[in-house]
Amino acid sequence: MGDFIGYRCSLCGKEFLPQGVTYTCPQDGGNLDVVLDISGIKQHTQPKNIFSSQEASLWRYLPLLPVTDPGGLGTPLRAAGWTPVFQPQVLAQKLGLQSLWVKDESRNPTASFKDRASALLVGRARNIGAQVVVTASTGNAGAALAGMAAAVGQQAVIFAPHTAPPAKIAQLLVFGAQVLLVDGTYDDAFDLTIQAAEAFGWYCRNTGYNPFTAEGKKTGAFEIWEQLGMAQKEGDNPLCVFVSVGDGNIISGLHKGFKDLQKLGWLETMPRLFGVQSELSSAIANAYEAKTEKITPVASTTLA
C-alpha cells in the first residue's frame, strides 16, 4: 500500500489525519485530496519495480495507492485498468498530427473509466471493514460499483433516478446490487446517499465527494506515463491529454496522478490537460472562462 498519511483540503489547504471515514473538509466543505508519504514511497519503490510487474491491471501501481491489496485474484476487481493505447495513423494524418494516441477505456469490466474508482473504493471499504458501499448513479458509476462489489462479495446499494435507462438498472440488478429508484433527479439521489451513509454507517462512493474516487482515476495517468515511455523522456514538449469532463472528477484524478509522479521525480515534464465539455452542459467550462471556482449548475440537454 502507498504510504497514506492523511487528507488535504483543496480550498483552505488544511491537513487532516487519516483516521476514520472522511469525505469533505470539516472547515469549509471543500474537496479533500489524499496525501501520500512521497519520501516513504521513494524508499521502497522505483519505476523498474512497476515496469517488471506481471499484474495487468491498475493494481500494478499498488505501491502508489492508498489501499492494501483487496484480493479478488481472477475476478473483475483485478481486471480494471491497464487498458490499451492505440495509435490511429489515418486519424492522425487527417488531423495533421505527428503523434496521436487513444486510450480505450471501454476495455474495463463494465466498459467505463469508472471501474477504476469503484475498484479502489471497494478495496478501501474492505480495508476499513465497511459492510455496505452506497452511491448515486444514472448508470455507469452504479454499474461499476455493482460489478466491482460483486467480484469480492461486497454489499452495494445504489440510488438511481427513476428516469435512468432500464438497461442500466437491469445491469445493476444482474450484479446483485440493491437498487432504490428515486422520484427525483440525480442530485436528489446524491443527497439521499449521503443521508443514508450518515444514518446507517454505510461507506459512500459518490464521485466528487469521496476523495478515494480520484485515487482510482489517477491510475489512468500512471498508465499513460508508463505506456508512452514518459519516464525515459526528458525535455520533450508537453504531452497534451484531452479528457471529457462531466463533474471534473476524471480530469482531477489524472492531474493528481501526474503530480504524484512529478513529486516522486519520475516525470520531468508535466502534461497539459485539456477538459472538453459540450456547449449544452458546460458548467465547469463556464467557471473556468469566468476565472471562478464557483460552479453554477446548468440544465443539461445533451444526447448523453
Side-chain angles (χ1 to χ4, degrees):
M1 179 176 71
D3 299 298
F4 171 40
I5 58 175
Y7 305 93
R8 181 183 297 112
C9 177
S10 60
L11 292 181
C12 68
K14 185 175 178 59
E15 295 192 357
F16 303 92
L17 295 175
Q19 285 86 354
V21 175
T22 306
Y23 297 110
T24 58
C25 178
Q27 304 293 325
D28 54 26
N31 286 354
L32 296 178
D33 291 325
V34 169
V35 179
L36 299 178
D37 180 4
I38 297 297
S39 61
I41 294 174
K42 283 183 178 181
Q43 292 178 9
H44 57 65
T45 304
Q46 295 297 323
K48 62 181 180 181
N49 304 128
I50 293 172
F51 299 159
S52 62
S53 173
Q54 298 301 305
E55 177 67 43
S57 75
L58 63 82
W59 298 107
R60 68 191 288 110
Y61 304 106
L62 189 61
L64 311 182
L65 300 177
V67 296
T68 57
D69 189 336
L73 187 64
T75 75
L77 190 64
R78 297 301 284 264
W82 200 238
T83 57
V85 169
F86 299 107
Q87 286 189 274
Q89 297 298 329
V90 174
L91 181 58
Q93 292 171 7
K94 181 179 179 180
L95 297 174
L97 298 174
Q98 182 177 352
S99 300
L100 173 67
W101 297 269
V102 176
K103 191 156 177 60
D104 184 5
E105 286 296 302
S106 71
R107 305 299 183 92
N108 282 304
T110 72
S112 85
F113 197 93
K114 297 178 181 181
D115 283 338
R116 295 178 182 271
S118 289
L120 197 102
L121 258 292
V122 168
R124 174 64 176 168
R126 291 171 70 84
N127 289 168
I128 63 176
Q131 298 298 309
V132 178
V133 182
V134 62
T135 197
S137 176
T138 55
N140 288 342
L145 174 60
M148 298 302 102
V152 292
Q154 175 74 51
Q155 185 177 354
V157 175
I158 298 162
F159 286 79
H162 69 90
T163 55
K168 291 290 186 182
I169 300 301
Q171 187 178 20
L172 307 180
L173 296 172
V174 165
F175 282 129
Q178 181 179 356
V179 181
L180 301 173
L181 295 182
V182 177
D183 188 14
T185 65
Y186 169 79
D187 291 339
D188 296 323
F190 188 101
D191 293 341
L192 281 173
T193 60
I194 295 175
Q195 295 170 22
E198 291 177 349
F200 306 125
W202 296 349
Y203 189 49
C204 187
R205 177 231 181 271
N206 282 352
T207 298
Y209 180 69
N210 189 315
F212 281 82
T213 58
E215 291 297 296
K217 293 179 179 183
K218 79 178 184 182
T219 59
F222 294 162
E223 291 176 21
I224 292 171
W225 164 78
E226 182 175 358
Q227 291 169 327
L228 270 58
M230 296 172 70
Q232 287 79 39
K233 297 178 181 178
E234 296 181 1
D236 284 356
N237 291 327
L239 177 74
C240 296
V241 182
F242 291 84
V243 188
S244 57
V245 173
D247 61 6
N249 191 248
I250 292 178
I251 196 169
S252 298
L254 292 175
H255 179 262
K256 175 68 159 52
F258 286 125
K259 291 295 287 186
D260 282 356
L261 292 171
Q262 196 172 50
K263 291 175 183 177
L264 286 164
W266 299 355
L267 175 66
E268 180 166 320
T269 305
M270 184 73 180
R272 296 185 67 193
L273 299 181
F274 293 82
V276 182
Q277 285 197 308
S278 166
E279 290 180 346
L280 301 178
S281 182
S282 56
I284 292 179
N286 294 343
Y288 181 82
E289 293 296 332
K291 296 181 171 56
T292 177
E293 292 190 9
K294 179 176 175 56
I295 306 296
T296 303
V298 297
S300 175
T301 55
T302 68
L303 177 62

